[in-house]
Amino acid sequence: MPDDCSTYAHSSFFSPLIQDYLQEKEQIKPLYHRFPTLENFKAQLDEKAANYPAQFREILANTLKAQYQEITTTAQTSHHIDLLRKSNTFTITTGHQLNIGTGPLYFIYKIISTINLCKQLQEAYPDNHFVPVYWMATEDHDLEEINHLYVKNKKVVWDKTGTGPVGRLDTDGMEKVIDEVALLLGQSEPAQELIELFKSAYLNAATLAEATRKLANALFGNYGLVIVDGDSRELKSLFTPYIQAELETQFSFTEVQATVSCMKGYKIQVNPREINLFYLDNNLRERIVVEKNHYKVLNTDLEFSADEIQKLAATQPEKFSPNVLLRPLYQEVILPNLCYIGGGGELAYWLELKSMFATAKVTFPILLLRNSVVTATHKTREKWAKTTLSWEDLFLTPPELTAQYLAKTTAIQIDFSKLKQQLAQQFSLLHMQAKLTHPSYLSMLKAQESKQIKGLNAVEKRLQKAEKKSHQEAIDRVLAIQNEVFPNQTLMERKTNFSDYYSTYGADFIVQLLSQLDPLTMKFTSLFLD
């Protein structure tokens, strides 16, 4: 059992791949460039500075200025956009889908992790500037993944149909969603404030991308968050050579496939396609496939020769949309980025990409697991304190927690380990004696030893079961408290919307998170609320 179960690496909430990454296991090291420590950022920024084209900075800053035309930009965000023109400015980036109302609570944690890491880097490397970036996944086309949010344990759905990139969808129908959310949140002053934020964002925006930018800016603009929409002709013009290389050589498939074939024993998060690009248009985002040197767009009549599609990429790069495996490369080409902050699933597919980045001659970013927060009331904490268990014990699985409780509370320690060890020693002597006298008896002795061990195991389990039964009422209380914090053994942040907390605590909820989250600790943060 680990000494501190609140560390990400030792919790049951992350995959073996991510646990091994966090522990810097040797077999994982070929999959990443530099581990996220404050010291490693010096080499990272030196490398990125040497490899990021200076002319990209003006295009990036000018494009961002244009993207912000429809909203009131805070002084801090405007300053950060201007800083991007300077050669000593770097970004820290997170990305997320355009979930309505920001979707699950961990969206907030991603942004705060990004903002706080920039603050730490600014203190450590004062001769440089660090800008927090939120990359909106505006080109995703899976509407069902983003058309809902959970408020007070109820699913609120945006009744919307559409195809193509979700960022281009209009916001018709959002008024009904906001009304439903308002009923669920009640009449508190913070709840009313939040509903006004939702209305200002969604009812005064032409597209979902614009609405999402407005909401994220309202929440984090004062902290200088810069929001990037990759669905941009200007930005994709910087990515054109990589689009053309992908169409001609399918380099991403070759490199990623070679990497995943070596990741034995780990679940592969994303398998590469032969071409990892979509064709993009209004109401259309479909895969591009190649057949006999001709390129087709699935589910359409569109077809191009090799020369035609190369010309299209050169003249209309906005028609091409990277999929989940190429989007990270697009991001790192156009941004002076040092680090990507994401969840466990995101980092799992980033760990497939290092070889592809090397082939493209693009610096691979540092990968950092976002902050994860466990929220609980002071009342829950007080109940837990009465159990004699540590707060770290709360992070154990129910069977582990039950065993830990019994180990700490029962006077009778039912553990036959020493007896089984003694038995093994006695049979070892018997084996030696049999070898000297009559080796034919060895198989009989081994069978007898197995029978004895099996019998001890059976007695041990029966006594443990009886002891557990005598403490069952107390164990049930312990598990019930655990379920308050981890309902159905899941992190609330992966489902619950931040409005559940904002409607009670207002902007102070975000202020508390900003003051308490340390992105480089690799541990759960426990936030106790009244």
Side-chain angles (χ1 to χ4, degrees), residues 13 40 46 63 78 100 128 166 184 223 238 242 259 263 345 355 373 396 403 414 423 438 458 481 485:
F13 296 109
N40 281 345
D46 286 345
T63 301
S78 292
I100 60 172
N128 297 279
V166 295
L184 292 168
Y223 305 101
L238 306 180
Y242 304 91
T259 298
M263 296 172 67
S355 178
V373 181
L396 299 172
I414 302 168
L423 187 64
H438 209 301
I481 299 170
V485 181

Side-chain angles (χ1 to χ4, degrees), residues 4 6-10 14 21-24 35-37 347 366-372 518-525:
D4 187 355
S6 65
T7 59
Y8 299 152
H10 292 121
F14 297 99
Y21 171 64
L22 295 172
Q23 295 177 77
E24 299 181 76
F35 196 72
T37 64
L347 264 55
I366 290 174
L367 303 178
L368 178 61
L369 189 63
R370 65 169 173 80
N371 279 121
S372 194
D518 182 346
L520 296 175
T521 58
M522 315 292 179
K523 292 177 65 174
F524 287 96
T525 299

Side-chain angles (χ1 to χ4, degrees), residues 416 419-420 423 452-461:
F416 285 8
L419 283 175
K420 285 179 274 190
L423 187 64
Q452 295 284 341
I453 293 293
K454 187 176 180 180
L456 277 177
N457 286 335
V459 173
E460 182 182 38
K461 287 181 180 179

